[in-house]
Amino acid sequence: MLKMEHVDVFLDSDNGKRQVLKDINLTLEQKKIYVMTGPNGGGKSTIAKVIMGMVIPSGGKISLDHTDITGMNITERARAGIGYAFQTPPRFKGLTVRDMLELSARGNEIDPCSIMYDVGLCAQDYLDRDINTTFSGGELKRVEIAGLLARQLKVAIFDEPEAGIDLWSFQRLIETFDRMNRKSDAIMIIISHQERILRLADQVILVKDGEIAEITGQEKILEEISLLDSRCECKKNCIKGGNENVDCDR
Ligand SMILES: Nc1ncnc2c1ncn2[C@@H]1O[C@H](COP(=O)(O)OP(=O)(O)OP(=O)(O)O)[C@@H](O)[C@H]1O
Ligand SMILES: [Mg+2]
C-alpha cells in the first residue's frame, strides 16, 4: 500500500515560492490501476515526482507498505520498487535498448523481445540501438515504458504514456497495461487524458489546482466526458447550422 498524508509542495516561481501541491492525501492499494487526470498544470506530474523522490515535499509523509519512505532519495525508492516513466523521457548516450532493459531487470529473467513487442517496437530493429538523439519522441517514450515493464515493481507510474504514440502502438499499450495488472501485484498509476485509459481504472483521481478534487469510479468521469460531447454537439449545431456530420474540434 502506498500512502501520502498531508503532502505539501512549494516550488520556486518568478514571484518567490508557489504552492504547487496542497494537502495531498492518497491511499493506493496493490493490484489496482489508478488513472490520474485533470487540467494541465494541475499537479499530476508533481505528485508522481514526489512519489519517486524527485521533488521534496515541504510537509507530509509518504509510506510504502507501512515503511516511511519520506526521507529516501530516488535511488533508494527505485530499490524499494518504485518506477516512473517520464512524461518527456531522457536520452541515455552510450546505452543500448538491450543494456537498458537488462539494467532495469536487475538480474531478473526477462524476455527483451516480448517486452519490445508489448510496446510496439520490433526487437530486431531496436534492441541493439543506442538510446540517443536519433530516436523519435514516440520511440523514446515506448523504450522508456519498456524499461518499466522489465522491472518487478511495487509501484509503476506512467506519465502520459499515450503522448506521441501512434494508434496501433496505443492499442497494444492498453493491452499491455491490462496484462501487467493481471500478472503483477503492482500499484499502477497512469497519468492520462485518454478515455480508453480511463476505462482501465479501478479508480480515477482528479487533480486540479494542486489538490485532489475527486477520487471516483471511471463511470462518473466517463459520464462527464459524454456530457462534454453533448455540449460539443450543441456547438456544432450553432456553427454549422445543424449539420451533425462535421468533425467536433473540442
Ligand atoms: N520545477 C518547477 N518549478 C516551478 N514550478 C513548477 C516546476 N514544475 C512544475 N511546476 C509548476 O507546478 C504546477 C504543476 O505542474 P505539473 O507538471 O505537476 O502539472 P501536470 O498536472 O502534470 O500538467 P500537464 O497535464 O500539463 O502535464 C504547474 O503550474 C507548473 O508550472
Ligand atoms: Mg504532467
Side-chain angles (χ1 to χ4, degrees):
M1 180 200 286
L2 179 80
K3 213 165 172 183
M4 296 177 82
E5 294 168 85
H6 306 295
V7 169
D8 289 317
V9 169
F10 289 82
L11 293 174
D12 291 327
S13 75
D14 291 342
N15 320 314
K17 293 255 177 218
R18 190 166 78 82
Q19 187 159 14
V20 172
L21 293 182
K22 300 165 199 161
D23 195 27
I24 301 293
N25 292 288
L26 278 178
T27 301
L28 309 181
E29 291 168 18
Q30 299 301 132
K31 218 171 173 58
K32 290 209 167 152
I33 300 183
Y34 298 89
V35 176
M36 211 187 281
T37 193
N40 293 133
K44 303 176 294 297
S45 294
T46 309
I47 292 178
K49 288 175 188 167
V50 167
I51 296 172
M52 193 65 241
M54 298 162 67
V55 165
I56 311 296
S58 57
K61 182 179 160 188
I62 307 159
S63 52
L64 180 61
D65 296 337
H66 305 289
T67 302
D68 189 343
I69 61 165
T70 319
M72 284 188 186
N73 62 29
I74 302 174
T75 316
E76 289 165 332
R77 290 195 202 196
R79 250 185 240 130
I82 304 177
Y84 176 41
F86 291 83
Q87 187 166 359
T88 319
R91 290 173 160 86
F92 305 92
K93 268 196 182 146
L95 200 66
T96 65
V97 174
R98 189 191 300 278
D99 294 338
M100 189 278 288
L101 291 179
E102 274 162 13
L103 277 174
S104 302
R106 288 166 198 268
N108 290 318
E109 209 170 299
I110 54 163
D111 176 358
C113 288
S114 73
I115 292 178
M116 294 307 277
Y117 175 82
D118 284 345
V119 295
L121 293 174
C122 173
Q124 258 174 315
D125 294 342
Y126 287 92
L127 271 181
D128 295 313
R129 230 176 111 174
D130 258 17
I131 311 173
N132 58 25
T133 49
T134 60
F135 271 70
S136 75
E139 287 169 339
L140 200 59
K141 189 90 193 174
R142 286 185 269 169
V143 166
E144 169 93 354
I145 293 167
L148 243 61
L149 297 179
R151 293 176 58 188
Q152 289 195 337
L153 291 168
K154 283 192 175 167
V155 183
I157 312 169
F158 300 92
D159 200 340
E160 298 198 24
E162 70 269 21
I165 287 189
D166 61 69
L167 279 177
W168 292 268
S169 306
F170 182 58
Q171 175 57 31
R172 198 167 301 161
L173 201 61
I174 297 218
E175 289 159 15
T176 299
F177 285 145
D178 189 40
R179 190 157 359 105
M180 180 177 179
N181 179 234
R182 277 186 276 117
K183 272 196 341 203
S184 92
D185 282 341
I187 296 169
M188 293 173 67
I189 304 170
I190 312 176
I191 299 174
S192 177
H193 306 286
Q194 277 286 331
E195 187 178 333
R196 277 160 68 203
I197 289 190
L198 281 166
R199 288 188 188 280
L200 292 173
D202 289 299
Q203 286 200 298
V204 178
I205 302 168
L206 184 61
V207 181
K208 230 177 183 170
D209 300 326
E211 293 178 287
I212 308 282
E214 199 175 3
I215 301 179
T216 177
Q218 52 170 276
E219 299 77 16
K220 184 151 183 270
I221 297 282
L222 290 168
E223 196 183 310
E224 281 168 21
I225 291 173
S226 73
L227 285 175
L228 276 178
D229 278 345
S230 63
R231 276 209 295 278
C232 198
E233 188 79 19
C234 164
K235 185 175 151 207
K236 276 197 292 188
N237 290 343
C238 293
I239 295 170
K240 300 278 181 177
N243 181 353
E244 296 210 344
N245 296 321
V246 291
D247 280 339
C248 174
D249 61 354
R250 170 169 57 87

